[in-house]
Amino acid sequence: MSLPIAEDTATQMLPTNLFKGARDKLHAKKLEKEMAHVEAQLVEQLSFASPVADAPARYLAEAGGKRIRPLLTLLASQLGDGPNELVHRAAVSVELTHLASLYHDDVMDEATLRRGVPAAHTVWSNSVAILAGDLLFARASSLVSGMGEEAIVLQAKTFERLCLGQLHETVGPQEGDDRIEHYMQVLADKTGALIATAARMGVMFGGAKAEYADMVQEYGERIGVAFQLIDDVLDLSEDKEQTGKLAGTDLRAGVQTLPVLLLQKRAETDRAAKDLLVRIEEGAARIQAGEPATLLDREVAELREHEVTAETLATAKQWASDAVTAIAPLPNSTVKDAFERLADSIVTREG
């Protein structure tokens, strides 16, 4: 039985700034209708006969989400004939894959919250959360299995990259690896790969020209990396209303973000950077040992204003700009404009 679409999810599905002007309003309404249809199909795929499986499997979807991946699939399909049954299936499969990865990530990262609600493994257990993720991966694979060999191979390669990204993040850079290059590859694998696949599937099944596939795939990967880099900047933000968490949450937990990695590099030759880095590392260790998280308030404020955070923001903007460059050969259209605005909104987090 289909569950109702949560109101907060329905309102998040279509960023408000993608379509501007009177001529775009009809296009936006059509896309909203298609997104609602995908959401209904997603809910159906999250339903399991066993109540033991049903509740955890639909838990994170019901918590909301922006649904950027299925949105990209639908948008990319409009470079051709537009949404159809296969496009809808592709959109649902990429969102199922994304949701599945969240269950696993939260177990690996020992996260306590996801989308403003307790992480699934804290509600049930690590084993239940992992198995719920596996069930969603299975549902996604089942959908893709009927879409042809190219789709099956693409799904498999994307799943491989998701796993490699998580593995490399967990193990960390090896001796001789550049820590920043390693981090950027993790972002590309864990986030960029699936967004890239979402866009490519829209072209594949929407009847668009084959040469568009590589363009939108590169676009998707680049906006995925840009999105994560902006998250690194926002982690230091004082605007709790925007971030929904304490400033420097990742920093206090000892998580390596790009500002910290850039600070490490500067610390090799800059005494002030070295001093700040030492205070951050020592403070994070003390917090992990049970001392108050407020211990690092001063250091969070310093890092927020440091040049490495501005450099991170500039890097995110460059990745978003490169995404727009990747689709420059596409014909001018409302759809291309929407792609460009989406890239901008990922950096500004507006809309």
Side-chain angles (χ1 to χ4, degrees), residues 101 131 206 212 215 226 229 238 270:
S101 73
L131 290 168
Y212 295 168
M215 298 178 200
L229 292 175
E238 292 180 290
D270 185 318

Side-chain angles (χ1 to χ4, degrees), residues 89-90 93 139-148 151-153 155 201:
R89 289 176 67 177
S93 72
R139 282 283 167 93
S141 298
S142 179
L143 280 176
V144 173
S145 68
M147 298 170 65
I152 294 171
V153 171
Q155 170 76 358
M201 281 190 167

